[in-house]
Amino acid sequence: MKKYQELENKVKENQAEIDRLKKEIDRLKKEEEKENELPKHKRFNPDNALEFLKTFSPHNLDNAFAWIYTPQGFRYWSDIYQNLEDNSNYVVPDKAIIQIQKWVILSYQNG
């Protein structure tokens, strides 16, 4: 095989990898945008969400938003709620806290 053919093959391989990485970037951007959206229901209550972040009371989590309309889904929030009710020493996952903080900030920014 001639040298230029080897280089052309490498270019094709590199282009395929570039295309794969671009798709991955697009997927990650969409995922991040989804996480930054408020739950798709008018029931989001930033005051209850903020109160939940202060107290970690399951009652406030229940009243903050409709769990089913979140990217994480009903089961994710239901598990956190149940763990809070069953165990006073339960630690809410950082990821959940950060998500609620984002929603509260977005909600107050959007009025």
Side-chain angles (χ1 to χ4, degrees):
M1 188 181 299
K2 295 186 178 184
K3 186 68 174 172
Y4 76 89
Q5 287 174 325
E6 289 176 18
L7 291 173
E8 283 180 350
N9 288 341
K10 283 185 181 181
V11 166
K12 286 179 186 176
E13 289 173 13
N14 288 338
Q15 188 59 50
E17 180 65 7
I18 288 169
D19 293 343
R20 186 192 69 75
L21 290 172
K22 283 182 179 180
K23 285 179 184 176
E24 180 66 10
I25 288 170
D26 288 344
R27 185 190 67 75
L28 291 172
K29 281 182 180 178
K30 286 178 185 174
E31 189 176 293
E32 186 176 322
E33 287 171 5
K34 236 182 181 181
E35 288 180 359
N36 288 335
E37 291 177 359
L38 290 173
K40 299 219 182 278
H41 192 270
K42 299 202 183 294
R43 189 175 162 239
F44 184 78
N45 184 323
D47 295 332
N48 278 342
L50 193 57
E51 192 62 29
F52 170 74
L53 292 172
K54 292 177 186 174
T55 64
F56 294 109
S57 161
H59 175 73
N60 288 322
L61 178 62
D62 189 32
N63 292 326
F65 52 92
W67 303 337
I68 198 167
Y69 297 107
T70 66
Q72 296 84 2
F74 180 84
R75 170 70 89 193
Y76 178 81
W77 297 107
S78 176
D79 287 348
I80 291 173
Y81 176 88
Q82 199 59 51
N83 283 321
L84 285 168
E85 276 210 329
D86 295 345
N87 179 1
S88 62
N89 295 324
Y90 176 71
V91 177
V92 177
D94 289 342
K95 187 174 183 174
I97 293 170
I98 292 167
Q99 183 64 71
I100 294 172
Q101 288 171 333
K102 282 183 189 179
W103 288 337
V104 168
I105 292 167
L106 288 169
S107 179
Y108 285 127
Q109 283 178 343
N110 296 337

